[in-house]
Amino acid sequence: MKFSKIMLSCLLAILVLFSCRKDQWDNRDLVKDNAGTESLLDRINADSDLSLFASYLKKTGYDKVVSSSKTFTVWAPDNKAIQALDPAYLNDTASLKLFIGNCIANQAFYSKDARDSALRIRTYSGKRVLFTGETLNGNAVGKKDITAKNGVLYTMPTAFMPQPNAFQYFSANYAAGLQYQFMKTLYYSPNVDSILKDSLIKANLINTNLNTYTRSVNINSEDSLLTYIILTDQAYQAEEQKLQSFFIDSTVEVSDSLKQWNVIKDLTVDGVIDPGAIPPVVYSKDSVAIRLASSSIVKAVKVSNGMVYVVNHLDYDLATKIKPVVIQGERFFDRLDPEKSYTIRKRRNPANDSIFSDLFMEKQGIASYWFRYPVSLAAGTYKVYWRAVNDFQTGTFPMMLALNHHIDTTFADPKNIAYDQTLPYTTVELLNYNDVYIGDFTVPKHGLEDLFLIGNNVTSSGKNTIVCDYIKLVPVLN
């Protein structure tokens, strides 16, 4: 027992010694002279190669930041790097402050911290930089891991300029284009002061805090990585032509706005797609399948929150933009007589053991009983299917579907609705778990429609039963 305790003590001592030596090895490159007494500002002022950076720290007020008691990382461009910059840029107060702020971050990040994975670090400019330990935003680091009592210093042989994000690049370079001009009209709230709105439009600006698109897809954010697609005017007009028949509405103005919204809404992809590694298909935030062909790319630009591609043609699967619409039977809006009871069943499909819920009503004693489902549809023709499982009685029964523009039924007597379109009664066969084709609906205008699921026009039990798992409307796109 005594021998075991001695062996255990020796083993623990070896592990502690190894751990200490490993830490020493990991930190072998750290410059530690006077690290416990000198601030980052002291370190910078002591290096003659950083004299210009030191002077700009003082000019912008960041000298007070890096000499404070908080902890920082500073990537300091040396004199040669700063001398290579445009003097006009350095003489502009706002640009200079952005440039110096981009060299400073909260917390101490040592090169070993980025050994396994690059770090995206927010700087005082509001931008994030990509730090690998050896590079910063792709620029090689000079002296590394120079420690101070309030952080760590790196020297940079190249001055790294703050990168614009996707929105900043877009607004600075394509403000005259059709894509930007439409986005500029998308103010978030109808209560925006008209003077403010008019002034923004006149100044050719987008307020990202008030814009419908940028509020839902924040291409101005530094906190997430994305790929943004900018269409040339030629490509934008081609997309308008492609989509216009699906978004016919009550007026030319509304139709045009809907069409253009559907052009721009699918131009953002999560994550960074590098030019040398573009997959055959990428997916927008709304799951549109886009084929980003290299032959269509006019320009590829690295931005602070990802990549921007300017394209002269956009190729995508139209069926992923004008999607099938699936309406769950149990999720109805209202029904002919709310006092009549119904059931939401849990069922199992014996073909694949999947579980599904469906709507079930019987013995209601009312002919042509209906359930209503408001649904937003693009203009065009739809092939209509349902899945209705008759697994509860031996006899069959018919049901039908009807369609009405929503405004027509807002105040209508529920017993006297004149449907715009009806499909013929279709028999619900026994134990059929497959989709059943019912017929075609043609929707003349984009907008909200009322879809009705209607029971048989008789009152007898077993013959006017209603059952429905889902109704599917598949747009005809050719």
Side-chain angles (χ1 to χ4, degrees):
M1 179 67 71
K2 184 176 180 181
F3 178 76
S4 298
K5 290 182 177 179
I6 293 171
M7 289 296 293
L8 180 59
S9 299
C10 291
L11 180 59
L12 288 172
I14 291 169
L15 287 172
V16 169
L17 179 62
F18 177 79
S19 175
C20 292
R21 288 186 174 180
K22 183 179 185 302
D23 289 342
Q24 291 172 2
W25 177 256
D26 285 344
N27 297 322
R28 64 192 182 281
D29 294 328
L30 303 187
V31 181
K32 293 186 176 180
D33 299 336
N34 301 318
T37 60
E38 291 189 342
S39 70
L40 283 164
L41 186 61
D42 294 332
R43 286 287 193 171
I44 292 165
N45 286 334
D47 190 335
S48 59
D49 287 336
L50 301 179
S51 60
L52 284 176
F53 182 73
S55 69
Y56 288 129
L57 278 175
K58 185 174 182 179
K59 186 174 181 178
T60 57
Y62 279 119
D63 59 330
K64 295 179 179 61
V65 173
V66 299
S67 61
S68 70
S69 59
K70 291 175 64 178
T71 304
F72 307 94
T73 299
V74 177
W75 296 274
D78 62 27
N79 291 344
K80 289 183 179 179
I82 291 178
Q83 287 166 348
L85 295 176
D86 183 351
Y89 179 83
L90 296 173
N91 289 330
D92 180 82
T93 301
S95 297
L96 178 63
K97 188 155 189 174
L98 188 67
F99 170 62
I100 298 300
N102 205 48
C103 301
I104 304 167
N106 283 323
Q107 301 182 30
F109 296 96
Y110 292 94
S111 58
K112 66 184 178 65
D113 297 329
R115 182 177 300 159
D116 297 325
S117 178
L119 304 174
R120 288 190 75 236
I121 302 169
R122 181 180 285 277
T123 69
Y124 271 72
S125 68
K127 298 288 182 183
R128 288 188 182 269
V129 293
L130 188 67
F131 181 52
T132 68
E134 302 296 329
T135 64
L136 186 75
N137 279 2
N139 300 293
V141 172
K143 297 176 186 176
K144 299 188 300 180
D145 299 314
I146 304 169
T147 59
K149 67 178 180 180
N150 64 337
V152 59
L153 171 67
Y154 298 83
T155 65
M156 300 294 297
T158 304
F160 54 100
M161 308 298 287
Q163 291 179 320
N165 60 38
F167 176 76
Q168 290 167 336
Y169 176 80
F170 176 45
S171 58
N173 295 278
Y174 293 90
L178 295 175
Q179 186 169 326
Y180 186 89
Q181 290 300 306
F182 176 67
M183 283 181 62
K184 193 174 62 173
T185 69
L186 298 176
Y187 290 94
Y188 181 69
S189 169
N191 299 320
V192 173
D193 183 88
S194 60
I195 296 176
L196 171 61
K197 181 175 179 178
D198 290 345
S199 65
L200 290 170
I201 292 175
K202 188 173 181 179
N204 204 29
L205 295 175
I206 293 175
N207 185 327
T208 56
N209 293 323
L210 299 173
N211 188 273
T212 304
Y213 183 85
T214 53
R215 285 294 296 268
S216 60
V217 184
N218 193 356
I219 60 175
N220 197 36
S221 172
E222 302 285 343
D223 295 329
S224 57
L225 291 171
L226 53 84
T227 298
Y228 185 59
I229 299 170
I230 299 174
L231 302 177
T232 64
D233 283 357
Q234 176 186 355
Y236 193 90
Q237 289 169 331
E239 286 305 302
E240 288 187 281
Q241 183 70 25
K242 186 188 301 181
L243 296 178
Q244 66 180 0
S245 66
F246 299 106
F247 298 102
I248 300 168
D249 210 289
S250 53
T251 68
V252 172
E253 291 77 13
V254 173
S255 300
D256 185 64
S257 182
L258 280 168
K259 173 186 62 180
Q260 292 197 68
W261 169 256
N262 281 275
V263 170
I264 71 164
K265 77 179 183 67
D266 297 306
L267 298 177
T268 305
V269 176
D270 284 332
V272 181
I273 301 171
D274 291 317
I278 300 175
V281 177
V282 299
Y283 293 91
S284 76
K285 287 180 174 290
D286 194 30
S287 303
V288 173
I290 300 169
R291 290 174 283 275
L292 196 58
S294 57
S295 59
S296 301
I297 297 172
V298 175
K299 188 181 295 184
V301 180
K302 182 72 176 175
V303 292
S304 63
N305 59 347
M307 285 293 303
V308 168
Y309 288 98
V310 182
V311 302
N312 59 19
H313 174 73
L314 190 63
D315 183 22
Y316 56 87
D317 183 353
L318 187 58
T320 62
K321 183 183 278 283
I322 312 298
K323 297 180 174 69
V325 177
V326 178
I327 303 163
Q328 297 297 328
E330 66 274 18
R331 296 178 184 173
F332 57 87
F333 178 75
D334 62 0
R335 50 203 171 104
L336 175 59
D337 184 348
E339 294 186 359
K340 298 298 181 180
S341 62
Y342 64 91
T343 302
I344 296 176
R345 309 186 304 168
K346 283 283 189 183
R347 315 305 286 170
R348 183 182 68 84
N349 186 342
N352 55 21
D353 269 348
S354 62
I355 303 298
F356 62 93
S357 299
D358 67 8
L359 170 70
F360 174 61
M361 173 179 268
E362 64 177 349
K363 301 178 182 178
Q364 72 272 22
I366 299 176
S368 301
Y369 193 96
W370 53 253
F371 290 86
R372 179 161 67 110
Y373 305 85
V375 57
S376 182
L377 297 174
T381 298
Y382 292 83
K383 292 194 171 298
V384 184
Y385 304 82
W386 69 35
R387 184 163 79 165
V389 180
N390 181 2
D391 60 355
F392 46 84
Q393 64 184 48
T394 56
T396 62
F397 55 90
M399 300 188 304
M400 65 176 285
L401 294 172
L403 201 67
N404 237 17
H405 192 61
H406 184 71
I407 196 170
D408 295 338
T409 58
T410 303
F411 301 107
D413 183 336
K415 296 181 180 179
N416 298 296
I417 296 174
Y419 303 118
D420 292 334
Q421 299 178 58
T422 59
L423 296 179
Y425 274 105
T426 300
T427 299
V428 179
E429 301 290 351
L430 297 174
L431 301 175
N432 186 356
Y433 291 85
N434 299 315
D435 289 359
V436 175
Y437 173 64
I438 308 301
D440 291 357
F441 279 136
T442 298
V443 180
K445 294 192 302 183
H446 171 277
L448 192 61
E449 301 285 335
D450 284 325
L451 179 65
F452 292 86
L453 173 64
I454 305 167
N456 195 8
N457 189 23
V458 297
T459 59
S460 53
S461 296
K463 292 297 184 181
N464 65 350
T465 304
I466 296 174
V467 66
C468 183
D469 179 10
Y470 57 77
I471 301 163
K472 184 188 297 183
L473 296 91
V474 181
V476 178
L477 302 175
N478 52 11

Short mmCIF file of all heavy atoms in Angstrom, two decimals, residues 2 11 39 114 132 137 142 146 165 193 239-241 245 252-253 271 285 295 314-315 332 352 367 384 390 395 433 453:
data_model
loop_
_atom_site.label_atom_id
_atom_site.label_comp_id
_atom_site.label_asym_id
_atom_site.label_seq_id
_atom_site.Cartn_x
_atom_site.Cartn_y
_atom_site.Cartn_z
N LYS A 2 1.95 1.24 0.87
CA LYS A 2 2.85 2.40 0.95
C LYS A 2 3.54 2.62 -0.38
O LYS A 2 3.71 3.75 -0.85
CB LYS A 2 3.87 2.16 2.06
CG LYS A 2 4.79 3.36 2.29
CD LYS A 2 5.69 3.09 3.48
CE LYS A 2 6.61 4.30 3.71
NZ LYS A 2 7.52 4.06 4.85
N LEU A 11 4.01 9.88 -10.02
CA LEU A 11 3.29 10.07 -11.27
C LEU A 11 2.67 11.46 -11.34
O LEU A 11 2.75 12.15 -12.37
CB LEU A 11 2.20 9.01 -11.39
CG LEU A 11 1.33 9.06 -12.66
CD1 LEU A 11 2.21 8.91 -13.90
CD2 LEU A 11 0.26 7.98 -12.64
N SER A 39 2.84 48.94 -20.12
CA SER A 39 1.57 48.84 -20.83
C SER A 39 1.82 48.66 -22.32
O SER A 39 2.96 48.80 -22.79
CB SER A 39 0.73 50.10 -20.59
OG SER A 39 1.32 51.20 -21.28
N ALA A 114 -5.09 30.76 -31.98
CA ALA A 114 -5.65 30.55 -33.32
C ALA A 114 -4.99 29.38 -34.03
O ALA A 114 -5.12 29.21 -35.23
CB ALA A 114 -5.48 31.82 -34.15
N THR A 132 -5.24 34.28 -37.82
CA THR A 132 -4.80 32.88 -37.83
C THR A 132 -3.59 32.63 -36.94
O THR A 132 -3.13 31.51 -36.81
CB THR A 132 -4.42 32.44 -39.26
OG1 THR A 132 -3.24 33.15 -39.67
CG2 THR A 132 -5.55 32.70 -40.23
N ASN A 137 -6.39 39.04 -41.60
CA ASN A 137 -7.08 39.34 -42.87
C ASN A 137 -6.19 39.04 -44.07
O ASN A 137 -6.19 39.76 -45.06
CB ASN A 137 -7.55 40.80 -42.91
CG ASN A 137 -8.84 41.03 -42.15
OD1 ASN A 137 -9.38 40.11 -41.55
ND2 ASN A 137 -9.32 42.25 -42.16
N GLY A 142 4.22 40.34 -38.41
CA GLY A 142 5.66 40.47 -38.21
C GLY A 142 6.05 39.88 -36.87
O GLY A 142 6.01 38.67 -36.66
N ILE A 146 4.07 39.91 -28.34
CA ILE A 146 4.84 40.80 -27.48
C ILE A 146 3.93 41.16 -26.30
O ILE A 146 2.95 41.89 -26.46
CB ILE A 146 5.26 42.08 -28.24
CG1 ILE A 146 6.04 41.72 -29.51
CG2 ILE A 146 6.07 42.99 -27.34
CD1 ILE A 146 6.25 42.89 -30.45
N ASN A 165 -18.38 45.78 -45.29
CA ASN A 165 -19.20 44.57 -45.28
C ASN A 165 -20.02 44.52 -46.57
O ASN A 165 -19.89 45.40 -47.44
CB ASN A 165 -20.09 44.51 -44.03
CG ASN A 165 -21.04 45.68 -43.91
OD1 ASN A 165 -21.59 46.16 -44.90
ND2 ASN A 165 -21.25 46.16 -42.68
N ASP A 193 -41.60 58.86 -40.86
CA ASP A 193 -41.89 60.24 -41.22
C ASP A 193 -41.62 60.46 -42.70
O ASP A 193 -40.57 60.10 -43.21
CB ASP A 193 -41.01 61.16 -40.36
CG ASP A 193 -41.30 62.62 -40.62
OD1 ASP A 193 -42.20 63.17 -39.96
OD2 ASP A 193 -40.64 63.20 -41.50
N GLU A 239 -34.54 38.69 -64.53
CA GLU A 239 -35.27 38.07 -63.43
C GLU A 239 -36.69 38.63 -63.33
O GLU A 239 -37.64 37.89 -63.06
CB GLU A 239 -34.52 38.28 -62.11
CG GLU A 239 -33.28 37.43 -61.97
CD GLU A 239 -33.59 35.96 -62.16
OE1 GLU A 239 -34.42 35.42 -61.40
OE2 GLU A 239 -33.04 35.35 -63.09
N GLU A 240 -36.84 39.91 -63.54
CA GLU A 240 -38.17 40.50 -63.54
C GLU A 240 -39.05 39.85 -64.60
O GLU A 240 -40.22 39.53 -64.36
CB GLU A 240 -38.08 42.00 -63.79
CG GLU A 240 -37.53 42.81 -62.63
CD GLU A 240 -37.63 44.30 -62.90
OE1 GLU A 240 -36.78 44.83 -63.65
OE2 GLU A 240 -38.56 44.93 -62.38
N GLN A 241 -38.49 39.67 -65.78
CA GLN A 241 -39.23 39.06 -66.88
C GLN A 241 -39.62 37.63 -66.53
O GLN A 241 -40.74 37.18 -66.82
CB GLN A 241 -38.36 39.08 -68.15
CG GLN A 241 -39.02 38.53 -69.39
CD GLN A 241 -40.13 39.42 -69.92
OE1 GLN A 241 -40.13 40.63 -69.67
NE2 GLN A 241 -41.09 38.84 -70.62
N SER A 245 -45.16 36.89 -64.43
CA SER A 245 -46.47 36.23 -64.58
C SER A 245 -46.97 35.63 -63.27
O SER A 245 -48.17 35.40 -63.10
CB SER A 245 -46.38 35.13 -65.64
OG SER A 245 -45.51 34.10 -65.23
N VAL A 252 -50.79 47.74 -61.21
CA VAL A 252 -49.47 47.62 -61.83
C VAL A 252 -48.39 47.88 -60.79
O VAL A 252 -47.36 47.18 -60.74
CB VAL A 252 -49.33 48.61 -63.01
CG1 VAL A 252 -47.89 48.62 -63.53
CG2 VAL A 252 -50.30 48.25 -64.12
N GLU A 253 -48.62 48.85 -59.91
CA GLU A 253 -47.62 49.21 -58.90
C GLU A 253 -47.40 48.07 -57.92
O GLU A 253 -46.25 47.73 -57.59
CB GLU A 253 -48.06 50.47 -58.14
CG GLU A 253 -48.04 51.75 -58.96
CD GLU A 253 -49.23 51.86 -59.92
OE1 GLU A 253 -50.19 51.07 -59.79
OE2 GLU A 253 -49.18 52.74 -60.80
N GLY A 271 -23.11 31.66 -44.83
CA GLY A 271 -21.74 31.16 -44.93
C GLY A 271 -20.98 31.78 -46.09
O GLY A 271 -21.55 32.42 -46.97
N LYS A 285 -31.43 31.74 -48.16
CA LYS A 285 -32.05 31.61 -46.85
C LYS A 285 -33.47 31.04 -46.95
O LYS A 285 -33.97 30.46 -45.99
CB LYS A 285 -32.08 32.96 -46.14
CG LYS A 285 -30.70 33.41 -45.65
CD LYS A 285 -30.78 34.74 -44.95
CE LYS A 285 -29.45 35.12 -44.32
NZ LYS A 285 -29.11 34.28 -43.17
N SER A 295 -18.93 31.24 -65.08
CA SER A 295 -19.05 32.01 -66.32
C SER A 295 -19.97 33.23 -66.17
O SER A 295 -19.93 34.15 -66.99
CB SER A 295 -19.58 31.11 -67.44
OG SER A 295 -20.85 30.57 -67.08
N LEU A 314 -28.42 34.81 -63.43
CA LEU A 314 -28.71 34.01 -62.25
C LEU A 314 -29.49 32.76 -62.66
O LEU A 314 -30.57 32.87 -63.24
CB LEU A 314 -29.53 34.82 -61.24
CG LEU A 314 -29.70 34.20 -59.85
CD1 LEU A 314 -28.36 34.04 -59.16
CD2 LEU A 314 -30.65 35.03 -58.99
N ASP A 315 -28.93 31.62 -62.34
CA ASP A 315 -29.55 30.35 -62.71
C ASP A 315 -29.99 29.65 -61.43
O ASP A 315 -29.19 29.44 -60.51
CB ASP A 315 -28.53 29.49 -63.47
CG ASP A 315 -29.13 28.17 -63.93
OD1 ASP A 315 -30.37 28.09 -64.05
OD2 ASP A 315 -28.36 27.22 -64.17
N PHE A 332 -57.23 24.26 -40.05
CA PHE A 332 -58.22 25.07 -40.76
C PHE A 332 -58.42 26.40 -40.04
O PHE A 332 -58.09 26.57 -38.85
CB PHE A 332 -59.55 24.33 -40.89
CG PHE A 332 -60.14 23.89 -39.58
CD1 PHE A 332 -60.95 24.75 -38.86
CD2 PHE A 332 -59.87 22.62 -39.07
CE1 PHE A 332 -61.50 24.35 -37.65
CE2 PHE A 332 -60.42 22.22 -37.85
CZ PHE A 332 -61.22 23.09 -37.15
N ASN A 352 -44.50 2.93 -44.40
CA ASN A 352 -43.17 3.38 -43.93
C ASN A 352 -43.11 3.65 -42.44
O ASN A 352 -42.11 4.18 -41.94
CB ASN A 352 -42.74 4.63 -44.69
CG ASN A 352 -43.78 5.75 -44.59
OD1 ASN A 352 -44.61 5.76 -43.68
ND2 ASN A 352 -43.72 6.69 -45.53
N ALA A 367 -75.41 18.74 -44.95
CA ALA A 367 -74.92 18.52 -46.32
C ALA A 367 -73.89 19.60 -46.67
O ALA A 367 -73.99 20.76 -46.25
CB ALA A 367 -76.09 18.57 -47.30
N VAL A 384 -53.70 19.93 -58.12
CA VAL A 384 -54.16 19.81 -56.74
C VAL A 384 -54.26 18.34 -56.35
O VAL A 384 -54.83 17.52 -57.08
CB VAL A 384 -55.53 20.50 -56.57
CG1 VAL A 384 -55.96 20.47 -55.11
CG2 VAL A 384 -55.47 21.94 -57.08
N ASN A 390 -59.12 6.72 -45.66
CA ASN A 390 -60.38 6.10 -45.20
C ASN A 390 -60.04 4.75 -44.59
O ASN A 390 -60.05 3.71 -45.26
CB ASN A 390 -61.33 5.95 -46.39
CG ASN A 390 -62.65 5.33 -45.99
OD1 ASN A 390 -62.91 5.05 -44.83
ND2 ASN A 390 -63.51 5.11 -46.98
N GLY A 395 -67.39 1.54 -46.28
CA GLY A 395 -67.92 2.19 -47.47
C GLY A 395 -67.12 3.44 -47.83
O GLY A 395 -66.47 4.06 -46.99
N TYR A 433 -53.08 5.48 -48.84
CA TYR A 433 -52.17 6.39 -48.14
C TYR A 433 -51.37 7.26 -49.11
O TYR A 433 -50.44 7.95 -48.71
CB TYR A 433 -51.20 5.59 -47.26
CG TYR A 433 -51.88 4.94 -46.07
CD1 TYR A 433 -52.51 3.70 -46.21
CD2 TYR A 433 -51.90 5.56 -44.83
CE1 TYR A 433 -53.14 3.10 -45.12
CE2 TYR A 433 -52.53 4.97 -43.74
CZ TYR A 433 -53.15 3.74 -43.90
OH TYR A 433 -53.78 3.16 -42.82
N LEU A 453 -62.50 22.72 -48.20
CA LEU A 453 -62.66 21.27 -48.23
C LEU A 453 -64.12 20.99 -47.89
O LEU A 453 -64.59 21.36 -46.80
CB LEU A 453 -61.72 20.61 -47.22
CG LEU A 453 -61.88 19.10 -47.02
CD1 LEU A 453 -61.53 18.34 -48.30
CD2 LEU A 453 -61.00 18.62 -45.86
#
